[in-house]
């Protein structure tokens, strides 16, 4: 049976060990996934800031994208986070500049869904 519950302080050490053994890290878990009463994973719902932006495709200056990233970093830092994700399509003119802004690819696919 699968159970999903709020994470508790006493869950953290075991969860970190399980993730490391699977070669994964954790992004601020908010919930524990239990299968048959044993911790098997976690959910991170709203646990990591996500930067999204719309900038017209006719803008090609890296300085515009750099300013967007600088403001995003500042805002994220101001609210107390240390890391973030950026959702960016590979056809965006900004895509090629991301490594120069100190960002690394994290996932090749991001999925979109709507809450019920």
């Amino acid at each position: 049976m699968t159970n999903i519950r709020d994470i508790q302080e006493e869950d953290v050490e075991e969860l970190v060990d399980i993730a490391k053994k699977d070669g994964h890290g954790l992004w601020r878990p908010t919930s524990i996934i239990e299968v048959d009463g044993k911790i098997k994973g976690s959910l991170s719902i709203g646990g990591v800031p996500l930067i999204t932006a719309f900038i017209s495709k006719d803008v090609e200056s890296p300085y515009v994208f750099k300013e967007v990233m600088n403001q995003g970093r500042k805002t994220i830092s101001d609210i107390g986070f240390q890391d973030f994700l950026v959702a960016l399509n590979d056809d965006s003119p900004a895509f090629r500049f991301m490594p120069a802004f100190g960002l690394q690819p994290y996932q090749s696919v991001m999925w979109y869904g709507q809450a019920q």
Side-chain angles (χ1 to χ4, degrees):
M1 177 172 182
T2 302
N3 181 45
I4 299 175
R5 62 173 174 79
D6 291 344
I7 193 167
Q8 303 295 316
E9 186 175 345
E10 58 268 16
D11 299 324
V12 174
E13 187 175 338
E14 181 179 355
L15 180 61
V16 169
D17 288 344
I18 292 168
K20 281 183 181 178
K21 287 177 185 171
D22 276 354
H24 290 274
L26 300 171
W27 284 85
R28 291 181 174 79
T30 57
S31 305
I32 290 293
I33 301 168
E34 294 176 323
V35 178
D36 297 328
K38 296 181 182 180
I39 295 176
K40 295 296 181 178
S42 65
L43 292 174
S44 296
I45 301 173
V48 178
L50 174 67
I51 296 175
T52 62
F54 165 73
I55 302 171
S56 176
K57 286 189 179 188
D58 63 358
V59 173
E60 295 197 20
S61 169
Y63 299 108
V64 172
F65 307 127
K66 184 177 181 181
E67 271 310 304
V68 170
M69 292 311 308
N70 286 344
Q71 181 59 46
R73 277 191 164 107
K74 180 183 180 322
T75 301
I76 286 165
S77 178
D78 288 350
I79 61 175
F81 285 94
Q82 297 175 342
D83 46 23
F84 58 91
L85 297 173
V86 176
L88 188 67
N89 294 336
D90 59 5
D91 65 346
S92 167
F95 190 83
R96 67 181 186 263
F97 300 118
M98 292 296 106
F101 301 150
L103 281 88
Q104 304 169 21
Y106 179 68
Q107 293 285 341
S108 59
V109 177
M110 189 172 291
W111 298 88
Y112 171 77
Q114 294 181 328
Q116 297 180 351

